């Protein structure tokens, strides 16, 4: 297939075979993070700060160490000094140094012969704290006189005289914004806030780590990226990366939250201190919520100008986001995504990354984009509504398309936003008549998608089947998708390809499964690997036939003489070539190491119908439609699954999920009973339409589908509530208390 | 620390273990009997990943003490297929892509089987409410509910 | 932690009375194990009541009421059709507790003795006029359910006292009850507000009523003002408004992570009206 031409019909791509790990996963055989044990294994437990901000005056572990079965206790003193930067931040977050920076910050860890003893021992470790003033709210943290989380954490971008917790400032745009607003018929501003939410993966973090006095170690861990685990643990512990072999277990969800380390170095440090015995560390749910990656909370100001026809003339965004006690809120991506769906003559973005006494933010599905969409799509909907325009038509009029210079810089190649709007408009849900207290909301969303460092190796077995070794953990069926693409390319059956996620010792570096990259980047790398194996097999056939290797083509799983030689020899199938591999040059394999170019953006349009109980402020989701451009759905079931899962996470964020901090700075709701993710009875079926505008940068047109889907639900739900009640909610979550109070205020006039 | 000797039946096999009374049935299944198919998502009854049946009753095994299993009959996900033949629910979960990460899957399957044992013809609403204590963060529940309904239909014949 | 499996309530009471440290009874364990796991209550002695005969049974009393064993789970309660027909509001309160999995274990008595002001089965029990039998080192006594809770996490039971049974009075004719709670989701939340109404009709008029409010004060409240608002009425719009106002007026809630004070006060009125209508319809013969 010539690279510049996108194929449209396939033998396997686009079918829905059973996933290769299906049987293991429905029988309980699949092994996740906490399911691994090693001989001689110890169990660990972590002591965490109950204070939002406190100086650690003394840690006394003598009682714990006196308990029978306790083998080691580690504190920050057991970690080497590392220079300021990523590894220092990671180390500080793994285990507090001078100060505990948030409720749940680890201060010590203990290893013992059983889990119960470890927990008992943790309770016996006495920590003396001096409580310091704290701040958890983003706007409070932005004040000049806010408690200072860390001196000297600001980077070069922060101007003199900024509030002390600002660590990064972003300022970019293009066009003449003032002229744009001046030429507008309608200009509006809005202030919006969103509370922090957690990825909420059902599997808590878990690992077994082993590290000997020789500096060589091993780790078994649930992660989205084991090379990241290796690099980060090595950086934090001061050991050599190649000496740590990391195996990724099956993973029970991540959504970005498992792309970094939290407690993994603790298990290695404990192992090293207890003579190299493996140490198992499994977080409780409360630890997950208190101490692992929530996303940021945001305070946002948006201003938009449009003509009376609804055409955008200019827009500005000022976003403030706290990402916990460390640099790294997703304010950057939030700004970049804010207006990406639309053509805009002039746009300006200003962003502040702010420290607060909360856990270090980790990536969460399209990091930053959902908050930005909540603000922007909310205001747009309000303005188009005021002008009496249909929300889909208005979006269509302004939609970014091929050739549009995006709000964040690059010019779009072929994209499918308009197609999603068309498909949404044609969907049957749009013709359902709504009743009293019901409303329909529309919103659009965007994610860049990503490539990243990728290594894949493929080998043909003696019987002509193929094994593919990849380094991106499979969270939602990527092994099936990769097998489909490889089988399609090699011209063999899906069942004859086995894709494995292999340990760090088996491949070059791989970035995690993040940025919606697994099917795009690992998939593309696997296809490249297959192509090079094909090339090798064609060469072997050419040699056998005594013709030029360029005169051989690969069709339907076999080498065939082509061009002038066409038909001269019978085709040599992969089975025949493989059977003779030993005598024709040895093993047949192909591999790819690189950063596959050709990323294609993914746009989506969501439409939701809600009903609001006017007496209680409770919102029910009646109908939900996700339309998104996948480029190409390799395995449509898992694409639909991504759409549905993303939409439902977004619904949770819109209605009920939030981090609730008390006046003491402690997290009030670190259990699923009170951190309210959607349950089955909260929801209708989630309708999906897969739009396929192939990405020219991928051999099968893949764009990546994991992230865009969480972006539109926040504003879509808010817009639907506005339609149902006449009230624009500017603050998430739209909890019943908040909505009822707003409805009462309106009723009172 | 005094441990208690427990004899119980798990998936039809008689098993024995020593349990500290603070250990949950989930801990005992996973760490003493090597049955790691039941998962811990919360340890506090909120997620259903640890669902098992005890004497035929659906429970969260994280909310049962190991010592309480004395003399009972426990069924876990590992006991769901019969001689290698998958239960229709298991088959439909794979065929209908009702799992993404699969961590919630054992709990959903055990809970859904308990539903179908009791009510072979549930409505979508009944399925959703029965499974409300099983959290899934990946799928949005759509394909799970469909797989349960389809398996029920197949089993009714 | 010592684990005990007494064979009689007298033994259970004796063990509890002589225990020195933190003591808990184990019924369904759906509160005890959660607290154990969270480290908030680490009992020294845990007394499992499920080995005592009769704790799993539901029986009709001589006067047509019901005697419910202290280990009867929500699931078994809901499976008893005659009980459901008599006291649908009591049963629906219990059935709202937790998930299907929790229902397999959780008990009415545990819900009561855990002492949460938001306990879902307690308003229904109080509205029904239920009583419990308390066995202590010095014998047994009967206590009205509303006299058991003392404050969040606390009961009026004395050290060594255990509840040995729960009794619902005879339902009688032309009567109905209902329980409604407000939660942000549809399941798996702790009540932000809960209201139970039990009433008896004389013709179209409410002859007797008991209304109990949950999660709006340190303990579940039995509200005379609410009952007065509807007794003697046909539950017309005016009576319902009066009931709603009375319910809101009784509330003395806090603002917390689950809802604001204002919200609880307002929604208590809404739910009181809605629950009363359901109870009324049931008294008229509507099926639960
Ligand atoms: C996921 C989940 C969801 C929940 N949802 C709800 C909900 O929606 N609504 C709600 O109200 N509750 C809820 N709960 C709390 C709990 O399930 C209920 O309170 C339940 O009814 C407790 O009953 P149990 O038998 O499990 O009590 P246990 O945990 O066995 O005991 C609870 C307390 O009662 C005491 N006790 C038990 N029996 C006796 C006795 N006979 N005499 C004296 N004291 C006794 C124990 O010492 C203990 O202090 C939920 C719990 C979980 C885990
Ligand atoms: S682990 Fe038992 S319910 Fe979550
Ligand atoms: S499939 Fe991941 S939690 Fe359900």
């Amino acid at each position: 297939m010539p690279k510049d031409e996108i194929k449209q019909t396939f033998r396997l791509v686009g079918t829905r075979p059973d996933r290769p790990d299906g049987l293991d996963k429905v029988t309980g055989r699949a092994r996740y993070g906490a399911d691994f044990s090693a001989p001689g294994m110890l169990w660990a437990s972590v002591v965490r700060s109950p204070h939002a901000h406190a100086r650690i005056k003394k840690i006394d572990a003598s009682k714990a160490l006196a308990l029978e079965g306790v083998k080691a206790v580690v504190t920050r003193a057991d970690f080497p000094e590392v220079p300021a930067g990523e590894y220092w931040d990671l180390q500080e977050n793994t285990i507090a140094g001078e100060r505990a920076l948030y409720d749940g910050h680890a201060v010590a860890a203990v290893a013992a012969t059983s889990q119960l003893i470890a927990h008992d021992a943790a309770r016996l470790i006495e920590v003396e704290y001096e409580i310091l003033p704290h701040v958890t709210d983003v706007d409070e943290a932005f004040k000049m006189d806010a408690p200072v989380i860390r001196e000297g954490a600001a980077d070069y971008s922060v101007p003199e005289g900024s509030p002390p917790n600002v660590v990064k400032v972003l300022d970019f745009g293009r066009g003449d914004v003032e002229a744009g607003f001046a030429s507008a018929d309608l200009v509006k501003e809005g202030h919006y806030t969103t509370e922090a939410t957690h990825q909420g993966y059902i599997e808590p973090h878990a690992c077994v780590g082993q590290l000997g006095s020789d500096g060589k170690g091993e780790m078994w861990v649930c992660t989205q990226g084991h090379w990241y685990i290796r690099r980060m643990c090595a950086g934090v512990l001061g050991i050599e990366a190649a000496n740590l072999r990391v195996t990724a277990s099956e993973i029970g969800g991540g959504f970005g939250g498992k792309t970094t380390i939290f407690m993994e170095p603790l298990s290695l440090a404990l192992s090293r201190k207890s003579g190299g015995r493996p140490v198992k560390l499994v977080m409780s749910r409360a630890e997950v919520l208190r101490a692992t990656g929530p996303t940021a909370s945001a305070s946002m100001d948006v201003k938009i100008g449009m003509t009376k026809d609804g055409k955008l003339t200019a827009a500005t965004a000022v976003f403030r986001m706290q990402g916990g006690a460390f640099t790294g809120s997703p304010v950057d991506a939030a700004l970049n995504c804010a207006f990406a769906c639309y053509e805009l003559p002039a746009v300006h973005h200003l962003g502040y990354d702010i420290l607060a006494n909360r856990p270090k933010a980790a990536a969460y599905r399209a990091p930053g984009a959902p908050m930005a969409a909540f603000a922007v799509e909310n205001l747009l909907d309000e303005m188009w509504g005021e002008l009496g325009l249909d929300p889909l038509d208005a979006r269509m009029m302004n939609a970014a398309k091929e050739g549009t210079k995006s709000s964040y810089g690059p010019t779009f190649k072929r994209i499918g936003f308009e197609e999603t709007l068309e498909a949404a408009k044609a969907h049957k849900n749009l013709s359902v008549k709504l009743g009293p207290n019901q409303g329909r909301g529309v919103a659009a969303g965007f994610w860049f998608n990503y490539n990243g460092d990728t290594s894949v190796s493929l080998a043909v077995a003696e019987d002509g089947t193929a094994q593919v070794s990849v380094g991106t953990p499979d969270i939602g069926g990527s092994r099936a998708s990769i097998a489909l693409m490889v089988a399609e390319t090699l011209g063999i059956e899906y069942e004859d390809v086995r894709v494995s996620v292999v340990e760090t010792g088996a491949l070059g570096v791989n970035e995690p499964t993040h940025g919606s990259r697994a099917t795009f980047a690992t998939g593309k790398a696997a296809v490249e690997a297959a192509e090079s194996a094909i090339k090798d097999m064609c060469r072997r056939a050419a040699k056998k036939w005594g013709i030029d290797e360029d005169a051989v083509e690969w069709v339907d799983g076999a080498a065939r003489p082509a061009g002038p030689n066409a038909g001269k020899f019978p085709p040599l199938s992969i089975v025949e070539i493989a059977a003779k591999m030993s005598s024709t040059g040895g093993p047949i394999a192909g591999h790819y190491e690189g950063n596959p170019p050709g990323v294609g953006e993914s746009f989506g349009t969501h439409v939701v119908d809600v009903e609001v109980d006017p007496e209680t402020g409770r919102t029910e989701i009646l109908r939900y439609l996700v339309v998104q451009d996948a480029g190409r759905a390799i395995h449509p079931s898992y694409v639909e699954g991504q759409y549905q899962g993303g939409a439902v996470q977004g619904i949770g964020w819109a209605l009920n999920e939030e981090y609730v901090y008390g006046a003491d700075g402690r997290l009030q709701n670190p259990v699923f009973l009170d951190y309210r993710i959607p349950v089955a009875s909260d929801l209708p079926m989630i309708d999906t339409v897969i739009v396929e505008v192939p990405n020219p940068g991928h051999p099968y047109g893949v764009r990546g589908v994991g992230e865009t889907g969480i972006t539109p639900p926040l504003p879509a739900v808010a817009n639907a509530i506005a339609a149902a009640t006449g009230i624009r909610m500017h603050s998430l979550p739209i909890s019943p208390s908040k909505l009822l109070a707003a409805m009462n205020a309106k009723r009172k006039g | 620390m005094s441990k208690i000797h427990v004899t119980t039946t798990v998936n039809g096999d008689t098993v024995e273990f020593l349990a500290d009374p603070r250990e949950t049935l989930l801990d005992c299944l996973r760490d003493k009997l090597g049955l790691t198919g039941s998962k811990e998502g919360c340890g506090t009854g909120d997620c259903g990943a640890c669902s098992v049946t005890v004497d035929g009753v659906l429970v969260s095994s994280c909310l049962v003490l190991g010592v309480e299993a004395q003399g009972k009959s426990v069924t876990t996900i590992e006991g769901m297929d019969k001689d290698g033949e998958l239960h229709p629910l298991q088959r439909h979960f794979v065929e209908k892509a009702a799992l993404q990460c699969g961590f919630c899957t054992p709990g959903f399957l055990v809970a859904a089987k308990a539903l179908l044992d009791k009510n072979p013809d549930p409505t979508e609403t009944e399925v959703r409410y029965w499974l409300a204590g099983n959290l899934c963060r990946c799928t949005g529940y759509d394909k799970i509910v469909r797989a349960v309904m389809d398996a029920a239909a197949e089993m009714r014949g | 932690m010592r684990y005990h499996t007494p064979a009689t309530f007298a033994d259970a009471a004796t063990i509890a009375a002589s225990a020195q440290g933190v003591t808990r009874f184990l019924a369904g364990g759906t509160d005890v194990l959660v607290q154990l796991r969270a480290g908030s209550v680490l009992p020294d002695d845990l007394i499992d009541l499920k080995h005592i005969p009769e704790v799993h049974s539901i029986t009709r009393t001589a006067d047509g009421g019901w005697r419910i064993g202290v280990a009867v789970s929500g699931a078994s309660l809901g499976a008893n059709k005659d009980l459901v027909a008599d006291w649908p509001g009591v049963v629906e309160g219990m059935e709202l507790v937790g998930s299907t999995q929790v229902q397999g274990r959780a008990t009415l008595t545990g819900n009561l003795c855990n002492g949460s002001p938001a306990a879902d089965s307690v308003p229904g029990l109080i509205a029904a006029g239920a009583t419990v039998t308390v066995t202590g080192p010095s014998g047994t006594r009967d206590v009205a359910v509303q006299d058991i809770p003392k404050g969040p996490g606390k009961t009026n039971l004395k050290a060594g006292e255990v509840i040995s049974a729960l009794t619902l009075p005879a339902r009688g004719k032309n009567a109905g009850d209902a329980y409604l709670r407000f939660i942000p989701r549809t399941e798996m939340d702790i009540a932000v507000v809960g209201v139970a109404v039990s009433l008896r009709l004389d013709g179209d008029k409410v002859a007797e009523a008991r209304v109990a409010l949950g999660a709006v004060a340190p303990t579940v409240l039995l509200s005379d003002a609410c009952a007065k608002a509807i007794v003697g009425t046909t539950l017309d719009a005016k009576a319902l408004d009066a009931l709603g106002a009375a319910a809101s007026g009784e509330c003395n809630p806090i603002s917390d992570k689950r809802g604001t004070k204002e919200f609880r006060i307002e929604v208590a009125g809404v739910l009181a009206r809605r629950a009363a209508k359901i109870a009324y319809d049931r008294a008229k013969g509507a099926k639960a």
Side-chain angles (χ1 to χ4, degrees):
Chain A
M1 179 186 63
K3 284 262 179 326
D4 53 359
E5 185 184 299
I6 299 172
K7 217 177 134 184
Q8 298 292 352
T9 53
F10 304 99
R11 190 169 52 90
L12 295 171
V13 162
T15 61
R16 303 177 186 236
D18 292 353
R19 61 197 279 168
D21 51 330
L23 183 61
D24 284 354
K25 286 188 173 163
V26 297
T27 53
R29 221 166 27 227
R31 291 208 292 169
Y32 292 83
D35 299 342
F36 184 76
S37 298
M41 188 177 82
L42 302 173
W43 292 80
S45 182
V46 178
V47 181
R48 296 183 181 276
S49 168
H51 306 297
H53 196 190
R55 191 173 310 287
I56 300 169
K57 296 178 70 178
K58 197 172 142 199
I59 301 175
D60 181 355
S62 52
K63 285 186 190 147
L65 286 163
L67 195 66
E68 200 192 321
V70 172
K71 298 295 174 190
V73 170
V74 295
T75 64
R76 182 63 169 273
D78 294 284
F79 289 76
E81 285 208 18
V82 297
E86 184 190 7
Y87 298 128
W88 188 88
D89 280 6
L90 288 169
Q91 190 183 69
E92 176 80 357
N93 191 44
T94 301
I95 190 153
E98 287 168 19
R99 286 175 298 147
L101 298 171
Y102 55 89
D103 167 37
H105 198 171
V107 287
V110 51
T113 49
S114 80
Q115 194 167 20
L116 280 176
I117 297 174
H119 289 325
D120 287 344
R123 273 190 280 270
L124 290 174
I125 294 177
E126 290 164 5
V127 186
E128 210 178 298
Y129 297 99
E130 174 195 335
I131 296 177
L132 302 171
H134 69 271
V135 60
T136 54
D137 178 77
V138 59
D139 288 319
E140 292 297 320
F142 191 60
K143 291 187 173 157
M144 289 305 292
D145 60 353
V148 180
I149 314 294
R150 189 163 49 254
E151 308 274 2
D155 75 4
Y156 62 89
S157 65
V158 180
E160 284 285 315
S162 298
N165 290 320
V166 173
V167 290
K168 199 173 178 176
V169 176
L170 297 127
D171 188 338
F172 62 99
R174 64 173 160 73
D176 186 340
V177 171
E178 285 319 311
F181 286 131
S183 70
D185 300 305
L186 180 64
V187 177
K188 275 201 161 210
E189 292 176 61
H191 176 67
Y192 303 87
T193 61
T194 61
E195 206 11 282
T197 55
H198 195 275
Q199 297 83 354
Y201 31 81
I202 308 300
E203 179 194 32
H205 297 265
C207 69
V208 177
Q210 185 274 321
L211 184 60
S213 55
D214 57 357
K216 294 191 174 60
E218 275 192 74
M219 175 165 280
W220 168 282
V221 58
C222 62
T223 176
Q224 290 174 247
H226 33 314
W227 276 266
Y228 267 30
I229 296 278
R230 182 179 79 166
R231 177 176 68 74
M232 291 173 177
C233 284
V236 164
L237 290 160
I239 58 175
E240 292 82 26
N243 275 332
L244 185 61
R245 265 175 48 194
V246 184
T247 304
S249 68
E250 291 296 330
I251 174 175
F255 313 108
K258 290 179 183 164
T259 55
T260 184
I261 56 167
F262 293 102
M263 77 324 179
E264 292 79 2
L266 296 176
S267 83
L268 293 169
L270 285 166
S271 172
R272 184 165 57 185
K273 223 176 165 180
S274 38
R277 288 175 71 169
V279 174
K280 181 166 183 165
L281 182 39
V282 182
M283 277 196 183
S284 68
R285 175 55 49 184
E287 288 182 288
V288 171
L289 289 168
R290 285 169 73 205
T292 74
T295 188
S297 60
S299 161
M300 302 171 286
D301 294 296
V302 177
K303 181 176 175 183
I304 294 173
M306 56 176 66
T307 66
K308 56 181 184 308
D309 306 326
K311 189 93 187 131
L312 302 183
T313 60
T316 61
V318 182
F319 291 177
R320 292 162 293 274
M321 292 189 181
Q322 68 72 29
F326 300 87
T327 301
S329 81
V331 64
D332 191 344
L335 289 169
N336 280 290
C337 291
F339 302 106
C341 292
Y342 305 107
E343 289 195 315
L344 262 175
V347 59
H348 189 254
H349 310 81
L350 181 59
Y352 299 93
D353 187 3
I354 301 163
L355 303 187
N357 293 113
R358 296 203 191 198
K360 187 179 192 306
Y364 179 18
R365 211 168 194 160
M371 297 90 129
F374 173 66
V376 170
E377 294 281 314
N378 203 329
L379 184 58
L380 283 172
D381 201 68
E382 183 177 347
M383 294 173 75
W384 284 324
E386 213 171 297
L387 296 173
L389 299 171
D390 173 86
L392 288 168
D393 294 344
R395 283 178 175 80
M396 183 65 94
M397 183 194 348
N398 291 286
K401 49 179 99 45
E402 185 168 2
T404 298
K405 183 157 173 56
S406 69
S407 59
Y408 61 96
T411 299
F412 286 123
K413 298 204 177 70
R414 185 76 174 91
I415 52 173
F417 182 34
E418 291 180 308
E419 284 79 355
T420 68
L421 290 165
E422 273 162 23
K425 193 150 191 175
H427 195 271
K428 63 174 176 20
N429 286 10
L430 276 284
S431 50
V432 177
K433 289 262 179 302
L434 297 180
N437 304 313
Q438 299 184 350
R440 178 164 295 151
V442 172
F446 160 84
W447 185 248
F448 317 92
N449 294 326
Y450 183 63
N451 46 357
D453 292 342
T454 310
S455 308
V456 166
S457 107
L458 174 146
V460 177
E462 299 86 332
D463 60 357
T465 57
Q467 75 186 50
V468 185
S469 302
V470 304
T472 39
D474 177 355
I475 316 187
S478 61
R479 275 169 293 199
S481 301
I482 292 162
L484 279 168
M485 289 184 276
V486 168
E488 182 87 43
T489 307
L490 288 175
I492 61 179
E493 294 311 315
Y494 166 76
E495 292 73 17
D496 290 341
V497 179
R498 173 136 193 195
V499 182
S500 305
V501 179
V502 298
E503 54 119 333
T504 52
L507 278 180
V509 169
N510 275 281
E511 274 184 51
T513 302
H514 65 172
S516 298
R517 78 182 209 91
T519 311
F520 172 79
T522 305
K524 185 166 176 177
V527 170
E528 298 268 353
E531 297 283 6
S532 65
I534 287 171
K535 219 163 172 195
D536 182 19
M537 291 188 284
C538 287
R539 204 177 54 236
R540 293 180 199 222
K543 209 163 168 196
K544 176 170 178 181
W545 293 326
I547 62 176
D548 191 40
E549 65 179 270
D550 291 339
V552 178
E553 61 179 4
W554 190 262
V555 182
D556 293 338
R560 270 199 329 213
N565 301 310
K568 274 200 191 149
F569 311 98
L572 262 180
S573 75
I574 187 167
V575 174
E576 292 163 307
I577 298 171
K580 295 263 159 59
M581 73 166 84
S582 182
S583 57
T584 58
I588 301 167
H591 58 104
Y592 176 94
E593 289 80 25
N595 197 319
V599 173
E601 302 81 359
S602 181
F603 290 80
T605 300
H606 292 201
V607 185
V608 57
D609 293 351
V610 304
E611 178 166 340
V612 176
D613 182 338
E615 290 188 317
T616 66
R618 202 169 161 277
T619 301
E620 185 187 348
I621 305 290
L622 302 173
R623 247 163 253 108
Y624 202 101
L625 170 65
V626 182
V627 186
Q628 189 180 320
D629 176 18
R632 173 93 58 216
I634 302 300
H635 191 305
S637 297
Y638 292 106
V639 173
E640 291 159 4
Q642 289 294 321
Y643 290 5
Q644 291 163 335
V648 168
Q649 281 185 320
I651 290 170
W653 198 338
L655 292 178
N656 287 315
E657 291 181 36
E658 64 179 317
Y659 264 50
V660 182
Y661 280 94
D664 56 4
R666 288 186 186 157
L667 184 61
Q668 303 279 297
N669 56 339
V671 286
F672 274 138
L673 204 54
D674 289 311
Y675 182 81
R676 302 184 182 107
I677 74 171
V679 301
S681 49
D682 292 344
L683 298 160
M685 293 296 183
I686 307 294
D687 300 321
T688 56
V689 176
I690 302 175
V691 167
E692 292 188 307
V693 176
N695 169 19
H698 185 278
Y700 293 106
V702 167
R703 291 182 183 275
V705 295
E707 293 177 282
T708 304
I710 197 177
T711 301
L714 285 63
V717 170
N719 292 343
I721 288 172
T725 63
I727 294 167
R728 282 266 153 215
M729 296 301 283
H730 285 220
S731 160
L732 290 188
I734 307 176
S735 61
S737 289
K738 265 191 221 166
L739 185 53
L740 186 62
M743 289 195 288
N744 284 337
K746 187 178 170 227
R747 283 192 276 251
K748 287 195 189 106
Chain B
M1 205 165 306
S2 56
K3 292 202 174 180
I4 296 175
H5 180 261
V6 178
T7 307
T8 186
T9 306
V10 178
N11 301 327
D13 296 331
T14 301
V15 297
E16 295 176 78
F17 54 85
L18 285 178
D20 181 293
R22 289 178 296 170
E23 286 172 307
T24 65
L25 175 58
L26 178 61
D27 295 334
C28 296
L29 289 169
R30 291 178 52 83
D31 300 332
K32 296 180 195 297
L33 301 175
L35 294 171
T36 54
S38 306
K39 304 299 178 197
E40 178 173 311
C42 69
T44 50
D46 304 322
C47 77
C50 64
S51 295
V52 303
T53 61
V54 176
D55 287 350
V57 178
L58 178 67
V59 297
S60 288
S61 60
C62 71
L63 291 186
V64 178
L65 293 175
V67 293
E68 288 184 83
Q70 171 64 38
K72 307 264 185 213
S73 172
V74 179
T75 311
T76 71
I77 183 66
E78 287 91 346
M80 196 156 169
D81 57 308
K82 289 282 165 274
D83 305 324
E85 182 159 346
L86 294 184
H87 187 279
L89 278 163
Q90 292 174 303
R91 204 158 22 73
H92 280 274
F93 265 57
V94 177
E95 286 170 5
K96 306 280 154 48
L99 50 135
Q100 278 174 37
C101 78
F103 192 77
C104 66
T105 307
F108 268 100
L109 286 167
V110 169
K113 179 170 181 295
L115 169 63
L116 300 190
D117 286 348
K118 195 177 121 116
N119 176 2
D121 192 8
T123 63
E124 181 191 329
T125 303
E126 284 169 338
V127 171
R128 287 185 180 276
Y129 274 86
W130 181 275
L131 295 176
N134 289 86
L135 299 179
C136 174
R137 190 59 157 174
C138 300
T139 63
Y141 304 103
D142 182 302
K143 292 186 190 300
I144 293 176
V145 174
R146 286 179 203 276
V148 174
M149 302 287 288
D150 290 353
E154 182 192 301
M155 287 166 71
R156 287 193 306 274
Chain C
M1 185 174 87
R2 286 170 294 272
Y3 174 70
H4 309 271
T5 53
T8 65
F9 282 107
D11 286 353
T14 308
I15 297 166
S18 59
Q20 299 298 315
V22 178
T23 306
R24 285 291 182 276
F25 295 105
L26 181 66
T30 59
D31 284 314
V32 168
L33 266 78
V34 171
Q35 291 156 8
L36 180 68
R37 175 63 192 253
S40 57
V41 182
L42 300 168
D44 300 296
D45 289 277
L46 184 65
I47 306 167
D48 190 343
L49 302 174
K50 293 191 293 297
H51 294 258
I52 301 172
E54 305 299 304
V55 293
H56 297 285
S57 60
I58 303 175
T59 47
R60 271 239 194 243
T61 57
D63 68 349
W66 293 92
R67 197 177 159 83
I68 300 170
V70 298
V72 169
S73 68
S76 343
L77 207 63
N80 189 313
K81 293 213 168 56
D82 295 332
L83 176 64
V84 176
D86 271 9
W87 293 105
V90 170
V91 175
E92 75 197 352
M94 187 62 212
E95 286 187 320
L96 285 173
V97 169
S99 58
T100 319
Q101 288 83 343
V102 169
Q103 283 291 307
R105 299 262 295 168
T107 66
L108 286 166
T109 328
N111 196 222
L112 174 63
C113 296
N114 185 51
S116 164
D120 278 310
S121 75
V122 176
L125 290 172
I126 291 178
T131 56
V132 290
T133 307
V134 176
T135 301
S138 49
T140 68
R141 60 192 174 110
D142 284 348
V143 182
V145 166
Q146 67 262 30
D147 295 331
I148 296 291
K150 186 173 180 182
K154 296 205 167 62
T155 68
N156 287 311
L157 295 175
K158 296 191 217 35
E161 285 190 328
V162 55
I163 292 179
S164 43
L166 188 144
T167 308
L168 283 166
R171 175 70 281 198
K173 289 202 168 27
N174 305 320
D177 71 339
Y179 174 75
L180 289 178
R181 69 169 180 183
F182 182 85
I183 54 170
R185 291 182 291 190
T186 50
E187 278 280 353
M188 300 305 289
D189 282 337
I190 298 302
V192 183
V193 186
V195 181
V197 177
S198 174
L199 46 73
R200 182 181 317 285
L201 301 184
D202 183 1
D204 288 343
K205 280 213 171 119
V206 178
E208 297 164 20
R210 282 168 70 91
V211 179
L213 308 171
V216 292
T219 60
V220 177
L221 298 177
L222 175 64
S223 166
D224 279 345
C226 288
K228 280 207 189 93
I230 54 172
V231 169
T233 73
T234 58
L235 214 64
D236 53 6
K238 214 175 109 209
L240 286 171
D241 283 348
L243 170 64
S248 293
E250 290 279 44
C251 297
N252 174 27
I254 52 167
S255 289
D256 67 6
K257 62 190 172 195
R258 300 196 175 117
T260 60
K261 188 174 162 172
E262 296 71 29
F263 181 81
R264 288 190 155 107
I265 292 174
E266 181 169 352
V267 173
V270 174
L271 295 189
R273 292 197 307 266
R274 293 181 182 177
K277 274 196 271 189
I278 300 171
Y280 188 92
D281 290 345
R282 285 178 181 165
K284 284 270 182 194
K287 287 272 176 304

